[in-house]
Amino acid sequence: MAYDRIQPAAFVPAPDVGPFLVTHYALSFPRAWRDPLKEHYRHGKPERYSRHRIQVPIVRLNRLITAVAPDLVSVAAKAPLDDAKPWLYANAPYPKAVMSSFIHAWLRDLQPGAEGHAKVKETAGHLDIDGLDWGLVGVDMLEQTLTEGGTASPADHLWRLLPETLASRIARQEPPYEHFGQRLHFRQVAQPAGAPGAELVSWPPLEHTSGRGAKERAWYYSAYIRLSLRTVPFDPTPRIHLTTGVRRWVRGPVWMPQRGSVSVYLLADDSLVPDGPSPERFAVGAIRWVPASGGHEWVQGGPEGMLSQVSAVANFPSADLMAKEPESWFTGREGVTAAVLHHTMMGAHGVKSGIMPMERRRLTEWAASALEPEFVRVRAFGRSGIRRQMPFNVLEDTLSVKKTATEEEKAGIARRNTEILVRNAAERRLRVAQAVGAGGLTAVLLYQTDAMRDLLIAAAEENLGLAGHCVAPGPELWAWEHPDLTVRIHVRQAGALASRLGGDRAPRRGVEWDAAVDARRAEVGTALHDWLRDTAGPAQLAFVELEGRDGFKRRTSDPKFAIRVGCADAGLVSQFLDLPDPAGTAPEKDSGPHRAAAAWSDGLRQLGMRIVPQHSVGERIPEKLNQVAFWLVKRRIGGDNQYPQFTPIAVLIRPGQGCVMGRSPETQDWVPYPELLKNLVGRVRGTDLKFRQQQEDATALFIKQTLYKLRGEPTLVLTHAQNTRERWPWLQNKGLVADGMRLGNGPLQRLAAHGRQLRVVRVAGSVRDETAQWWAPDGDEAAGVAKGLWRPSDAGDGNRIFYSTSDKASQHKHARDISKFTEHRNDGGRSLRKPDKAAWNPELLEIGVVGLQPGDDPEPWAMFVHQQRFAYDYTDALGLPLALHLASLTVEYALPYEEPEQAEPGTASIGAIPEDGTPEEGDEVAAEG
């Protein structure tokens, strides 16, 4: 069914409602605390930890409050230390004695160890902690200014406070959500200061049973509602995005990561700290495994942890019992109701993710009634006025056969489809030949099973139409000599090269893991050099059959990174195939042929082979248009990564060029795409890119140099908001000015100053709820999914913001009215409550046409970008336009691995910092719309 509109789950202030004022109690950090706290934090630390510290770190203090005082709302990720800027909001003053215990515990946390006691006492003496007073304030919930570009800029505290205020109204709403006689009751969940909004979960949890007899098992889950304050470029009206989905809870022993922790939702009958009020919201704590003690503990709950300092640990459930049998707290135990949040890394869950559009519509519309009268639903988006919304086919579609076709008609369609496949294969051969050059394509297949080996060989032959041209039929060399293209595939057993790192015992992160990776890297590189020494030409591509991520109990045993580095050493890009489906899979459900075909196509794309969507917009787009996509390849130090990386890259699709090109600061000029990929392997961020300002400067210089090389040529720059704006601040909503551009700290310039044929488009996805969920309305209650380019119904002339959607992914075939949270029946009375079915709704991709030349119409450019998501050689629509998609894939080659000679064993990596500190200049980008 073709829909002519879609409805975002977004809400704007009602135009005919007066001021939206809400009374709260507020608490500020006194300005006089600034210097004593900064000096307290810096005491005893190396200069590098304090040189760039501007604000006092309160991340761990905020986490403590989230864990034990969930009804307090923190609106500052860093201490504002300003009497006029509140840090905490509440419905009632929080007891002074408890707040004092929080501050003292935090001071102790900033100065741990025996020598810290005296410093804590000294600093506390400089602070009038007992003098902290809650003040009753009236908060204008719509306070904002406008940016230079005309975008709404809400007051800083509203990013957290407004969603929390609206969430509390949803939690109190009567009647509760109800469908088919079943009800859901929602409770708020405490959120840290940096969270994108407010959250509610349905409680008590829902139950789904799978299996029969001895294999029967119960699974537990809840619905969630999340509210976020967001803005849209060039729009003076802020909005609330209302997101709905599934929270899944762990039953049975909790899988624990080697490093890091798992989240626990806690609802206590009484306060978790002495003399505190009974909470109304879920608190959020975390437990982790402690190898030294061989047990579990609450994070911050060690001998000197803040939970112990505020006497909260005794009121928490036993961490060991929580990890062993978390379901025993679902209905309450020892005065606490609790649940451990399921993560995909914990393995499969009997309840699948996602909800279908009809259930999303019901739940959203129920919650939306609590937002009235101050907020109303945004008007539905209508289709773009450009009639043809899909690109022209580069390859031909095969013909379908109607059920009523005669045998003669079926035979005729089969003949025509054979001719189409022959023509398509010829076109692919031409594109591959252009990408790899006169020497043809040489690949290596490292296989583990005969089945996947045979499937990949068959996929290569079918994809390129090589049947009848085979000159070497294996077993170690398959070769085809076609007049258009020579293809060689060297076949070898992967053997030990694909085995787990460390064998039966996974290596530990750090020196042990580095050594295991280095050893496997050398083994792979040596083997490939030996196997390919006498080949007719250099090999470009390796296919490796490997267990999927779930096949490795410990992430450090996964050899994929090491194999990829070894392949790069031998001059090959690499593509991985999963092992065949488990034995017993019905032939009609075996995904092996599909996965082999997809792996072959993905491998060719890594070689820079291009089948670019041919737009249907006509002369409004220049004929020879370059597409340049910028991307920041970055890895921060974390539990699974010791080696940071920061590398700006660009991907170029140039008309008439047979290969996708790329560049980075290290390549100087454009190089073939596979060379860009291999250049990123093993790269580690240097000290010259350690701080935020250094990275912003490097990004600005790289963009400037890249655009300079394309001056005089029609060029479309594609950028991704969530990936790049952190180091290109102009891309933030508050920085955008139509038809202008700012690089780094430079001035805002007219776009033409960087090129009179330059255009810039910024796309933004749903990360941090930046774009809203949506559905296509079908009558008063039903809803579906629609593909197309959309524009706000109330958008005026010169609108710059459009939205792109795709159809459901091919693997998601379920009906639109399947439900998970309550009973639902079709017209025939059959139950459609199916928690075990995965649901997937396409993302709403925002296309901001932010930079144009005089006389340009934004809508054709938005349509061009939308059509670049529909590349013929991909089964489904891409999440991003093709050039940006290829740029994003470079991250797979930015491995968390450092060359042995670059660091001495056992030394800390560059930039290693405590959890609560950062040596970077400035703060992380604040949440914005």
Side-chain angles (χ1 to χ4, degrees), residues 299-323:
V299 174
Q300 302 180 32
E304 296 177 336
M306 286 194 282
L307 293 180
S308 295
Q309 292 289 317
V310 298
S311 302
V313 173
N315 297 321
F316 274 65
S318 162
D320 283 321
L321 284 177
M322 179 62 67

Side-chain angles (χ1 to χ4, degrees), residues 201-212:
V201 294
S202 65
W203 202 262
L206 303 166
E207 181 177 344
H208 167 66
T209 302
S210 65
R212 294 181 179 178

